[in-house]
Amino acid sequence: LLRTEGARELGRIDSLVNPGRPCDPEAAAVNGLRDEDLAAAPPFAALAPAVKALADGAVLVGDHVRFDLTFLALELRALGLP
């Protein structure tokens, strides 16, 4: 996640997330991630406050953003962070 204003970087989060369960084989076939790649990564709960602060009020641009935002909203809501 990268937040910019013009050419100036305002903040960045660059981290894998440990899902707390084994990788789905179909997802792994798409993203190339393995359980051992995620084992040392933090859980989303540890990153959520920083993700929310960085994304709040921003225009989000990316590939398949609607798909990503659905998961992000569900995870934030589960943590009590609307």
Side-chain angles (χ1 to χ4, degrees), residues 37-68:
D37 298 326
L38 305 175
F44 182 73
L47 299 169
V51 167
K52 183 168 176 12
L54 197 59
D56 272 351
V59 174
L60 300 175
V61 179
D63 190 29
H64 303 291
V65 173
R66 180 174 289 164
F67 177 82
D68 295 334

Side-chain angles (χ1 to χ4, degrees), residues 12-63:
R12 174 189 299 254
I13 299 171
D14 186 7
S15 178
L16 294 173
V17 175
N18 186 330
R21 57 181 169 71
C23 290
D24 177 273
E26 291 179 20
V30 172
N31 61 37
L33 295 172
R34 302 167 301 160
D35 292 328
E36 51 269 22
D37 298 326
L38 305 175
F44 182 73
L47 299 169
V51 167
K52 183 168 176 12
L54 197 59
D56 272 351
V59 174
L60 300 175
V61 179
D63 190 29

